[in-house]
Amino acid sequence: MPLVTISDAGVPIQGPTATLIYDDWYPALRSDNLRKGKLATAMLLGIPLVLGRRSDGRVFALRDSCPHRGNPLSVGWFDGERVTCRYHGWEFEPCSGQCALIPSLTSQDKLDATRIYATAFPCEERDGHAWVYVPGPGSGRKSAELPRKVPELKKFGPRYRTAFLTADLPCNVDHGIIGLMDPAHGPFVHQAWWWRSRASIREKTKRFEPIPEGFRMSAHAPSGNSAPYKLLGVYGQPVETTIDFVLPNRRTETIRCGDKWFSSLTTVTPVTASTCRIDVVGAWNVFYHVPFVTPIAKFFGARFVRQDQITMIQQAEGLKHNPSLMLIDDADKPAKWYFALKQARLEAGSQVSEARPGAPKLKHPMDGPVELHWRS
Ligand code: FES
Ligand SMILES: [Fe+2]
């Protein structure tokens, strides 16, 4: 899958922290970084991870810390079957974390190495992401039975093109998420001749409805003032778009125009309590046969994400000194719903599950569909 990385060359800024949601899936890194026999590192929710791919193709994620004396396992060896710690050579089966060998043990020893485990996290490959399930601190080893399914980008047919974008954001996950769903910054942050101008601001009414653990901007004809949507007009069919936000961090957008479609999954993942990363995976069959569509889409997508990134670097400067902030109606209403949903999820703990039938459902801040009005 083509890859664009928008690196944040700025000095890391230590801003306010956010409370983190555990017991869910987060993308750790692109799975094409996991080559056989190699180890890769990533940080999720402040947890250092070492990831890799076994010889049979299965991906794994371990805490990057040997249970013996804490040496990072990522500096050790990996032969496609076992990860060996560089300090005293303990060997681990990386999917389960089970210790397979302690070289220093003799025939005199009673210690059963196989009762020792490195911390292994459930890890699955989907849409080119290596997704890692991060349980709450101290909740023990995770069985195969998890309360949540691995997120997946919606596709509406077998033939499509894909692209991926990522950018580090120097702010906490809450600011990353509310910036992502914020409708009012578009005309200011994303001004461009090919997208829209400040002069194109107009009053909008959008209908929202509650969905499990999130909300949906109901299917609607997209804003007439954005060029990419206008392009779809060439197909001469009604264009309809649906945007969902679902906890802990996922925004999905689907645009459909007859049998043509575009679909994206954007996640804002806490790297630490005060920093995050935005990842966008997109798939489409629109203009499937037009040459250069993928590089062009990546170019504009990267510009777009870069504009958000620059804004958040500037915002991080302002947030350093912990100013008091505000959320206004209606433009910041989605942000208010996000905070209310997050609070409900934190209060409910790991008991709530949308995947497990009969499990308690989250208390929802919306009691039905509503219309919001703003100018953008
Ligand atoms: S620290 Fe890893 S084997 Fe001792
Ligand atoms: Fe934006």
Side-chain angles (χ1 to χ4, degrees), residues 219-236:
H220 62 285
S223 339
N225 56 349
S226 21
Y229 293 130
K230 279 187 198 150
L231 282 180
L232 283 169
V234 302
Y235 289 115

Side-chain angles (χ1 to χ4, degrees), residues 179 185 189-190 304 308:
H185 75 282
V189 171
H190 302 299
F304 201 82
D308 283 320

Side-chain angles (χ1 to χ4, degrees), residues 165-189:
L165 277 170
T166 184
D168 291 315
L169 303 176
C171 57
N172 70 42
V173 67
D174 290 343
H175 280 293
I177 286 175
I178 67 174
L180 174 77
M181 61 177 61
D182 167 40
H185 75 282
F188 299 92
V189 171

Side-chain angles (χ1 to χ4, degrees), residues 290-301:
V290 181
F292 308 120
V293 162
T294 302
I296 292 168
K298 272 167 48 192
F299 173 78
F300 288 118

